[in-house]
């Protein structure tokens, strides 16, 4: 999954994906609605900044990342995709 950013559509990147046998999804222009990673980065940043002490172990970090919130976001992706399809690649309420 790529967002059509210049580095992602550069010939060298496209060639690498082809050489590795990686099929990229077609991606509507200016459609971040389908990309959960942006939401996850935001969730992670807010969660970690709410900690009084920075996580010191992987488990502390995992706890700080609000795992259930991330799981909920991932489970919501089919609904996000349906809304983007209905909006014909336009904006949705997400």
């Amino acid at each position: 999954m790529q967002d059509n950013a210049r580095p992602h559509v550069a010939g060298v990147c496209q060639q690498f994906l082809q050489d590795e046998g990686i099929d990229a999804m077609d991606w509507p222009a200016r459609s971040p609605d389908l990309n959960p990673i942006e939401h996850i980065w935001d969730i992670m940043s807010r969660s970690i900044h709410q900690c009084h002490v920075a996580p010191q172990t992987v488990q502390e970090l995992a706890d700080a990342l609000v795992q259930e919130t991330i799981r909920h976001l991932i489970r919501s992706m089919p609904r996000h995709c349906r809304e983007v399809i209905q909006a014909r690649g336009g904006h949705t309420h997400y």
Side-chain angles (χ1 to χ4, degrees), residues 40 43-51 53-71:
I40 291 172
I43 291 167
M44 290 170 53
S45 175
R46 284 187 283 125
S47 296
I48 290 178
H49 284 97
Q50 288 177 357
C51 295
V53 177
Q56 300 296 310
T57 67
V58 172
Q59 184 59 50
E60 288 175 1
L61 179 62
D63 292 343
L65 296 181
V66 192
Q67 291 180 14
E68 188 53 38
T69 302
I70 293 171
R71 285 189 195 106

Side-chain angles (χ1 to χ4, degrees), residues 36 39-40 43 69-77 80:
H39 298 288
I40 291 172
I43 291 167
T69 302
I70 293 171
R71 285 189 195 106
H72 173 74
L73 180 61
I74 292 168
R75 286 191 302 261
S76 72
M77 287 310 298
H80 290 219

